Amino acid sequence: MKAGGKIGVVVTGGTIGMQAGDAGLAPAAGLAARLRETLCAHGRRDVGPFVELAPLIDSANAGPEFWVRVAAAVVSLVEESDCRGVLVLHGTDTMAYTAAGLAFLLLGLPVPVVLTGAMHPIGVAGSDGWDNLSGALDLLAGGPPAGITVYFAGRQIPAVHCSKWRTRTTDAFTRTLRPTSDGPAPAQPPWSYRKLVAPARVAVLPLHPGFEPTALEALVAAGVPGCVLECYGSGTAPVADLRFIAALELARSRNTVVVATSQCPEGAVAFGHYATDHRLKTAGVVSGGGMTREVALAKLGILLGAGLPAAACRDWMGVSVLGEI
Ligand code: ASP
């Protein structure tokens, strides 16, 4: 952790700073200034500078390009303002995706980054906003190790194991229980926070009984460079459908990287158990192990965005960079 320095804040939007309008809750500009005042009034002198992204958004509108804007704001707080940690305020709907994106984009960043938000706007009766905000700042003030964490409802969840799980209670996030392996990557990944990658836009396709292979074919034909294929159980798929296999072969021939993950919330892909998953492997599909959808999407997009050839992307998808597989 960096000695000295303050805790920088990046405000991106989300319910925590929303106000009710005619169409429902919507972001209201000036959140950073309001928070600065409130924190000052509470005697909090270790926080700042604040960066408010414009416009503030409902996180349903966040995509990979938005992760890069957040990442750039974090890097500038660390490198130009010498912050020893950064808090990111974000909507809950896609916070786990942004956290996963930041975990890979900001690889090597020497300070901790914590994301939080709220299920109810800060300041309204019964809001969880203040508890999440002050808890996340306390966490950062304690000097946790570098890395990306979601703090919510009193829990710290590593970015690569985080999913939004609930919509009706304030404990909205869970630490996913997929089998994963810890340990650093055996080689130095060919990207880092020093030169932010522009992630490629990739797709997620969940398999289901009656899956229509033209969905995959259409993605490949449109030039989408990568696809997370959410398979059954430990990585099975309808391989008896020759049109499905043909779509996978087409993907391979066009260098579209297809990564298999498990649809089971506590599952992981383990190719080699069933003949069906063996067939996926021979069709060029790479195993995503225990990666969540959020992580597989972010990692694949960033690998492809880093300009790695399809074969190298497949290899890196199989390497545990942050204990995500
Ligand atoms: N729709 C909101 C958002 O993700 C939900 C929230 O923040 O809780 O921005």
Side-chain angles (χ1 to χ4, degrees):
M1 192 193 73
K2 279 192 168 192
K6 290 207 200 178
I7 301 168
V9 181
V10 181
V11 181
T12 73
T15 298
I16 191 165
M18 287 189 184
Q19 288 175 2
D22 291 345
L25 287 173
L31 177 59
R34 296 196 294 279
L35 289 177
R36 193 188 295 116
E37 263 174 41
T38 312
L39 288 164
C40 245
H42 279 80
R44 193 113 216 187
R45 308 260 174 259
D46 58 344
V47 187
F50 288 72
V51 176
E52 179 168 307
L53 299 189
L56 295 176
I57 62 164
D58 185 305
S59 76
N61 288 312
E65 302 79 11
F66 191 73
W67 308 340
V68 179
R69 287 184 62 206
V70 178
V74 169
V75 171
S76 93
L77 283 169
V78 174
E79 299 214 314
E80 283 153 42
S81 305
D82 205 29
C83 289
R84 64 183 165 114
V86 180
L87 175 68
V88 176
L89 294 178
H90 196 286
T92 61
D93 287 340
T94 65
M95 188 187 296
Y97 289 90
T98 301
L102 292 180
F104 289 96
L105 283 172
L106 294 176
L107 214 60
L109 189 79
V111 308
V113 176
V114 174
L115 290 92
T116 197
M119 296 296 279
H120 305 285
I122 201 161
V124 306
S127 170
D128 51 337
W130 177 254
D131 284 350
N132 287 343
L133 174 66
S134 55
L137 288 171
D138 288 346
L139 171 60
L140 282 162
I148 317 296
T149 306
V150 169
Y151 176 89
F152 216 88
R155 300 185 67 199
Q156 301 169 32
I157 307 175
V160 292
H161 302 302
C162 184
S163 286
K164 184 170 180 182
W165 219 244
R166 300 175 196 93
T167 59
R168 295 183 157 231
T169 51
T170 51
D171 56 343
F173 290 88
T174 196
R175 187 193 202 287
T176 54
L177 293 174
R178 291 170 179 255
T180 52
S181 64
D182 285 325
Q188 187 63 30
W191 74 95
S192 85
Y193 78 99
R194 291 184 183 282
K195 188 168 181 296
L196 291 176
V197 165
R201 283 210 167 201
V202 297
V204 178
L205 275 185
L207 291 179
H208 52 83
F211 178 78
E212 178 47 63
T214 47
L216 179 56
E217 255 172 53
L219 285 176
V220 176
V224 175
C227 175
V228 177
L229 190 66
E230 293 184 335
C231 297
Y232 304 121
S234 58
T236 58
V239 296
D241 181 344
L242 295 182
R243 290 191 308 128
F244 176 64
I245 294 296
L248 291 177
E249 301 282 7
L250 179 70
R252 181 163 56 179
S253 71
R254 301 269 180 97
N255 282 332
T256 302
V257 180
V258 181
V259 179
T261 57
S262 174
Q263 298 179 4
C264 298
E266 296 181 14
V269 168
F271 280 161
H273 199 48
Y274 294 100
T276 53
D277 53 56
H278 178 74
R279 185 68 189 93
L280 281 187
K281 200 174 168 189
T282 57
V285 177
V286 63
S287 166
M291 276 189 267
T292 59
R293 171 192 291 182
E294 293 88 335
V295 168
L297 180 83
K299 185 177 173 185
L300 182 57
I302 288 165
L303 287 170
L304 288 160
L308 298 182
C313 285
R314 287 194 181 93
D315 290 347
W316 275 104
M317 285 309 286
V319 171
S320 189
V321 177
L322 296 165
E324 73 278 10
I325 293 190

